[in-house]
Amino acid sequence: MRKRDKDPIQRQSSSSSGKRTRLNAGRIALVLICTVGVVAFILYATIVIYGLIKGT
């Protein structure tokens, strides 16, 4: 199967707007993942600190 015979949905865009769209989507995904990680860490740290304070 040649490269041109691939499914057009799977084919990478060669236009600059397509590349920019993929880059922006990657940045948004990365920001969301980092945000969820930071919120989870803050929640975890809060629970640990609360447990230490209440445990003593």
Side-chain angles (χ1 to χ4, degrees):
M1 186 183 283
R2 292 182 311 203
K3 218 175 201 179
R4 279 187 274 157
D5 294 338
K6 284 187 175 180
D7 185 6
I9 295 174
Q10 300 295 325
R11 188 175 58 215
Q12 292 185 351
S13 175
S14 59
S15 68
S16 63
S17 64
K19 289 178 182 175
R20 199 175 319 115
T21 301
R22 282 199 321 270
L23 185 61
N24 286 340
R27 286 180 181 161
I28 290 171
L30 186 62
V31 166
L32 285 175
I33 291 169
C34 290
T35 302
V36 169
V38 167
V39 169
F41 176 77
I42 290 172
L43 182 61
Y44 172 76
T46 303
I47 292 170
V48 168
I49 291 171
Y50 179 78
L52 290 173
I53 291 172
K54 287 293 184 180
T56 57

